[in-house]
């Protein structure tokens, strides 16, 4: 219930200012975070187009929008994938406050461009 409320709040907040320029800016910020070895660190486990030295623990991140048409699903995965998959090795970025809600939304914006 709490996770659903958080996801709803994040989705409302992210669509309130979703102009094309804002979305491009958020996606660029999301890419920066995803490729940052000290913050999002997505490349440690995932292959992402344009990223250097990708890992192979997680799936390649491509065709994301077709796999997850509802951005709330991606927000929930980044926030705490253990809710959906208790056996995951993916860190709960939101639950453990590794990433802020704004950073998670920016990464989701980026992932939806892949």
């Amino acid at each position: 219930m709490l996770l659903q409320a958080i996801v709803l709040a994040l989705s409302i907040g992210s669509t309130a200012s979703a102009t094309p320029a804002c979305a491009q800016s958020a996606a660029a910020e999301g890419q920066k975070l995803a490729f940052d070895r000290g913050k999002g660190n997505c490349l440690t486990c995932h292959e992402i187009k344009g990223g250097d030295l990708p890992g192979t623990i997680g799936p390649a991140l491509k065709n994301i929008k077709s796999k997850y048409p509802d951005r709330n699903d991606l927000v929930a995965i980044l926030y705490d994938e253990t809710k959906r998959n208790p056996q995951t090795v993916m860190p709960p970025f939101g639950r453990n406050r590794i990433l802020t809600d704004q950073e998670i939304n920016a990464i989701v914006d980026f992932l939806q461009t892949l």
Side-chain angles (χ1 to χ4, degrees):
M1 183 77 170
L2 177 61
L3 179 59
Q4 291 171 336
I6 291 169
V7 169
L8 178 61
L10 290 174
S11 67
I12 291 169
S14 67
T15 58
S17 61
T19 62
C22 181
Q24 286 179 340
S25 170
E29 179 62 23
Q31 180 180 17
K32 183 178 169 186
L33 287 164
F35 288 3
D36 185 335
R37 297 284 180 178
K39 193 66 173 170
N41 208 12
C42 301
L43 287 169
T44 296
C45 298
H46 300 279
E47 177 184 334
I48 305 171
K49 182 180 177 181
D52 294 329
L53 303 171
T56 57
I57 295 169
L61 299 181
K62 58 185 177 184
N63 302 319
I64 297 297
K65 198 158 189 169
S66 65
K67 291 177 187 172
Y68 300 99
D70 183 350
R71 74 174 276 113
N72 294 331
D73 292 337
L74 285 173
V75 169
I77 288 169
L78 275 117
Y79 190 85
D80 185 1
E81 173 63 351
T82 65
K83 297 279 186 186
R84 191 176 75 132
N85 176 7
Q87 302 300 317
T88 188
V89 295
M90 185 164 165
F93 289 100
R95 187 187 81 202
N96 287 351
R97 298 184 179 152
I98 299 166
L99 296 170
T100 66
D101 293 346
Q102 183 177 357
E103 290 169 331
I104 288 172
N105 272 291
I107 291 173
V108 168
D109 287 339
F110 165 63
L111 292 175
Q112 289 189 315
T113 69
L114 301 176

